[in-house]
Amino acid sequence: MASNRSGERDASVLIVDDRVENRLLLSSQLARDGYQILQAATGAEGIEMAREAQPDLILLDVMMPELDGFEACRRLKADPRSAGIPVIMVTALREVQYRIKGIEAGADEFLSRPHHREELLVRVGALIQLKRARERLEEERNRMQLLYQISRAISTELDLRQMMTTIISQTQAAVGATEGTILLLDEAGAVTRRITVQAGEAPKVHDSVTNRVMREGFAGWLLRHNEGVIIEDAINDERWLTLPDDEAPPGAVIGVPLARSDRVVGVLFLMHPEKGYFTGEHLALLETIGAQITTSIENAFLFDEISEERRKLTAILAQSTDAIIVVGQQWEITLLNKAASTLFSLDRETVVDVA
């Protein structure tokens, strides 16, 4: 079978016509060029099929009983589920007023009966190419919006848990995944934190994972190989480890390491119940996100360490009976205990520079 000229994968065309001979003629001409064919015998059936099957294009007969092509087209274009599907109205009516009526209903193109096969193929192919170009533009717009949102999150948020939750939630929603997880690792490769977000649920945070996950599971594979990968079917892939307390295993998994040149600071992976769901575009997006957030994770780790050291130092100072003042590089006061405040008559709230 020859491949059609509308894109890399076979395109689908829905033919809506009440006359079986018309459907057979159009389907035979299109099938010879590699198109996948769907058929509906009424306008109402065509609308329902378009919503469910999401074809790449609809060939819609004008003169049909009960629900004619004009009204069917109007309903298709009014529904967000089918509004983006191009419609070619097929008709023997040649008067200008009927074409105007079709344009008002939302038709993208017209094909007059009787038609030439080459004209049919050119009109169908051109509209499908235009539809896919629009889809690619929309995907790129969504991708740029996601990267912008993540960039804002990592530039304004130093709290590690909140940052990771935001990144997982936004990435998960962007690719339609049902669950996302980030494992954060120390310099020895041990998990210091696991943050999991399931669609519609609050994030779950754990301080560790079972050793088997890193030894035998997907996260460990990402850590050892330091490269992104897609698992088409998790059940039948040895890299995916199903634990006894897991719910139903995912169909597909995609993951990337969060790495610098010298070490991996974490791994990010997403799951979906449908096998083969993730694409190369999803992987490229995830790799871009991984590169973007790795440095921010390290900065957040450093912030956490500094905050913890400051907390400990503050606790030590509070218990000391000696007067202690801690200054920074510019001789600004950064810490002041109660004894020093009393001895030098200093107000801690006004003299301590916490910027």
Side-chain angles (χ1 to χ4, degrees), residues 191-211:
V191 176
T192 61
R193 200 167 305 179
R194 180 185 67 175
I195 303 171
T196 298
V197 177
Q198 290 182 316
E201 297 184 12
K204 300 176 182 177
V205 182
H206 303 275
D207 293 333
S208 63
V209 299
T210 177
N211 290 332

Side-chain angles (χ1 to χ4, degrees), residues 140-193:
E140 183 62 19
R141 187 190 72 83
N142 292 338
R143 176 177 177 272
M144 295 305 296
Q145 179 66 19
L146 172 63
L147 294 176
Y148 170 72
Q149 291 171 346
I150 289 176
S151 178
R152 287 191 60 189
I154 63 180
S155 62
T156 60
E157 183 64 67
L158 280 174
D159 180 84
L160 200 54
R161 170 176 172 171
Q162 185 57 49
M163 183 197 299
M164 295 301 99
T165 298
T166 300
I167 290 169
I168 298 171
S169 299
Q170 291 178 347
T171 306
Q172 174 186 331
V175 305
T178 54
E179 183 175 328
T181 296
I182 285 182
L183 301 181
L184 301 176
L185 310 171
D186 62 19
E187 294 185 357
V191 176
T192 61
R193 200 167 305 179

Side-chain angles (χ1 to χ4, degrees), residues 241-260:
L241 176 65
T242 300
L243 299 174
D245 58 345
D246 283 350
E247 298 179 0
V253 186
I254 184 173
V256 294
L258 308 176
R260 294 189 315 171

Side-chain angles (χ1 to χ4, degrees), residues 3-9 11-13 33 35 56-57 84 86 88 121-137:
S3 61
N4 64 65
R5 288 161 285 185
S6 59
E8 294 180 359
R9 64 176 179 84
S12 59
V13 177
D33 213 51
Y35 290 97
D56 292 291
L57 181 135
I88 297 179
L121 296 177
V122 168
R123 292 182 187 274
V124 167
L127 281 178
I128 291 178
Q129 285 181 350
L130 179 59
K131 173 178 179 284
R132 292 185 175 172
R134 288 171 177 166
E135 290 172 345
R136 287 193 295 271
L137 285 173

Side-chain angles (χ1 to χ4, degrees), residues 30 36 71 86 95-97 102 136-138 153 166 185 214 222 238 259 265 280 299 347-348 354:
L30 291 169
Q36 300 175 18
E71 181 58 27
E95 291 81 356
V96 173
Q97 64 265 32
R136 287 193 295 271
L137 285 173
E138 181 66 15
T166 300
L185 310 171
M214 302 309 296
L222 290 171
E238 62 182 11
V265 300
N299 290 340
D347 182 0
R348 283 180 293 179
V354 296

